[in-house]
Amino acid sequence: MTWSETKRRWRVMREIEDLFLADPAATLPWREEYAELFGDRAGLATALRYRWQLARDAQLDTHASEAAWDEQLHRLDLRTRMLIRRLDDGAGREQGRDRVVA
């Protein structure tokens, strides 16, 4: 994957995350151009989950007190709650596949 493709992937994922933050009732979007970046909807859902996991891992301080950890986790939860809920509700799953975490 080229640097340009990587930047496009991350831009699309940010846009989708912003969509879910702005409109909790939104559905997982799909455009023809996404196919070359993610393959299919399941690939997009996997990439979005991976982005969330990276954000969570990067932003959680493993040396923080339990209260600070809980607060950090709560803020991350609020930021991505609708995105993850939509993915868990099956918006990004192919029939017959379980939840996938990259």
Side-chain angles (χ1 to χ4, degrees):
M1 179 173 290
T2 68
W3 180 242
S4 294
E5 290 168 330
T6 300
K7 286 177 18 180
R8 283 178 46 212
R9 281 176 58 98
W10 285 94
R11 179 185 49 79
V12 167
M13 289 187 286
R14 276 192 311 272
E15 289 171 1
I16 292 171
E17 185 175 323
D18 290 345
L19 170 70
F20 282 113
L21 290 172
D23 181 6
T27 59
L28 185 64
W30 184 257
R31 296 183 185 147
E32 209 169 295
E33 69 187 68
Y34 294 173
E36 69 183 67
L37 299 171
F38 303 101
D40 57 16
R41 283 181 177 268
L44 174 58
T46 299
L48 289 166
R49 248 194 204 82
Y50 179 68
R51 174 180 160 75
W52 179 81
Q53 188 65 48
L54 284 178
R56 180 177 178 228
D57 291 349
Q59 295 177 38
L60 289 174
D61 181 1
T62 58
H63 300 290
S65 68
E66 188 173 341
W69 175 274
D70 289 343
E71 175 60 29
Q72 290 172 342
L73 188 57
H74 178 72
R75 276 186 283 131
L76 283 171
D77 241 11
L78 289 176
R79 185 173 146 233
T80 58
R81 179 182 303 154
M82 292 314 299
L83 172 62
I84 299 304
R85 183 177 299 155
R86 293 312 246 175
L87 294 175
D88 286 345
D89 286 346
R93 277 188 279 177
E94 292 178 3
Q95 191 171 7
R97 285 182 65 176
D98 291 329
R99 180 177 173 192
V100 176
V101 179

